[in-house]
Amino acid sequence: MESDLSGLDERERFVAVAVARATGARPQAWDVDGRQGAVDALLHYGDGRTGALEVTSHAGSGVEQTYSLLGQADFGWPLPGRWWWSANVGDAHDLPRFSDCYEAVILLCEAHDVPHPELLPWHVLDREPDARWLAWETDSSLIGHPSVPAIRADGERSKMMITPAGSGGVLDESLQGLPAAVEQLLEVPHISRRLAKVLTFDADEHHLAVALRQGAIPDPLYMVMMFEPKGLPDRDPTVPDGISHLWLLTGSGVSLIGWAAGSGWTDHRVFD
């Protein structure tokens, strides 16, 4: 199946294979060899039908930059103290100051036996500007886990896990808000351009796949899709005429969420 996908980038190959598994089609790289305005891949069915597949991605403002910077540190920084800590980064612009001050703030928190900087005594926050910044002046945060030691059973010191901060909210476990989120997603300029491209391609089916990063859709939906949805939406999204299939994935969940004109929503467990 993958032998026909040389020339596509890693994300495009990954998505094309996932969609092919969900549909039973054979994928073929198409946006290769200098073709102009070509869709990313073709889907070939056993009955002779073809599908045009375009792959794109979307993230909230600043999220890709944050992921890129965190990825350079393998999403973890060394831990200085006794506990395991995790961190949420609200904005990529916070990273330089955060990386400079987190160790001192962690040690300060552990010295006062508190798992969050905002729980430090007022007189401490008053004299420690970095602790005060993390406690009250930024969307980034430190979270201590006193019951989990920084040094693992094998004697190695753990790293602090760092992830982009989410906006919170009650999880939408059956994804009922997904149709409205998709309708907004399709209006994003770079996605609407991809949509227009796939619609002009001569094929029996027209597929658009969107790899989602945090902020692409509301966090109560995104967090569910990162793990395991408990249900699927009750209504179809409003989409332009001619789109036969939509595909949504986060890259870390168990599901490839699909929508097809005439048959609605489906949850495909196609990731090994």
Side-chain angles (χ1 to χ4, degrees):
M1 194 175 279
E2 293 188 35
S3 61
D4 286 335
L5 295 175
S6 57
L8 299 182
D9 66 29
E10 182 178 0
R11 183 194 66 200
E12 292 164 348
R13 291 195 303 271
F14 179 83
V15 174
V17 169
V19 171
R21 289 178 176 177
T23 59
R26 177 177 62 84
Q28 176 190 6
W30 196 250
D31 190 8
V32 293
D33 300 327
R35 292 189 176 105
Q36 298 298 310
V39 294
D40 291 316
L42 299 184
L43 302 170
H44 298 280
Y45 295 93
D47 61 4
R49 290 178 300 117
T50 59
L53 172 64
E54 184 70 8
V55 180
T56 188
S57 63
H58 188 51
S61 176
V63 170
E64 289 288 6
Q65 181 186 8
T66 302
Y67 268 102
S68 176
L69 292 170
L70 293 178
Q72 294 172 20
D74 198 23
F75 294 88
W77 291 337
L79 282 171
R82 295 175 288 123
W83 307 342
W84 183 67
W85 288 75
S86 57
N88 294 320
V89 178
D91 190 300
H93 293 97
D94 287 350
L95 279 170
R97 182 173 183 179
F98 205 161
S99 64
D100 285 344
C101 75
Y102 81 95
E103 291 183 305
V105 176
I106 283 176
L107 293 175
L108 194 62
C109 288
E110 290 186 6
H112 288 83
D113 286 318
V114 296
H116 306 284
E118 56 264 35
L119 297 178
L120 287 165
W122 278 105
H123 70 275
V124 174
L125 289 173
D126 186 53
R127 70 169 186 261
E128 298 288 347
D130 288 330
R132 187 168 63 251
W133 175 70
L134 277 170
W136 304 115
E137 298 170 7
T138 176
D139 291 332
S140 298
S141 61
L142 275 172
I143 307 100
H145 307 271
S147 63
V148 183
I151 298 176
R152 303 192 302 261
D154 62 6
E156 294 293 321
R157 182 170 284 273
S158 298
K159 285 188 174 183
M160 179 172 69
M161 183 177 70
I162 320 165
T163 57
S167 61
V170 178
L171 296 181
D172 186 350
E173 293 190 341
S174 60
L175 302 179
Q176 294 305 310
L178 193 56
V182 165
E183 290 163 1
Q184 293 184 350
L185 200 61
L186 297 182
E187 294 179 358
V188 174
H190 78 269
I191 294 178
S192 64
R193 289 194 296 270
R194 298 295 189 100
L195 194 61
K197 182 167 74 168
V198 75
L199 280 172
T200 61
F201 194 87
D202 185 14
D204 299 297
E205 296 177 350
H206 298 90
H207 298 240
L208 179 72
V210 185
L212 305 170
R213 283 286 205 184
Q214 194 166 1
I217 58 176
D219 270 4
L221 294 165
Y222 181 79
M223 297 305 294
V224 170
M225 288 186 61
M226 282 188 68
F227 296 98
E228 184 173 3
K230 304 302 183 187
L232 291 168
D234 295 329
R235 76 167 182 89
D236 291 335
T238 301
V239 301
D241 290 341
I243 284 294
S244 61
H245 293 75
L246 295 172
W247 304 98
L248 304 168
L249 69 159
T250 64
S252 61
V254 299
S255 299
L256 173 67
I257 300 298
W259 174 85
S263 56
W265 295 95
T266 46
D267 182 346
H268 300 272
R269 307 298 169 91
V270 294
F271 305 120
D272 295 331

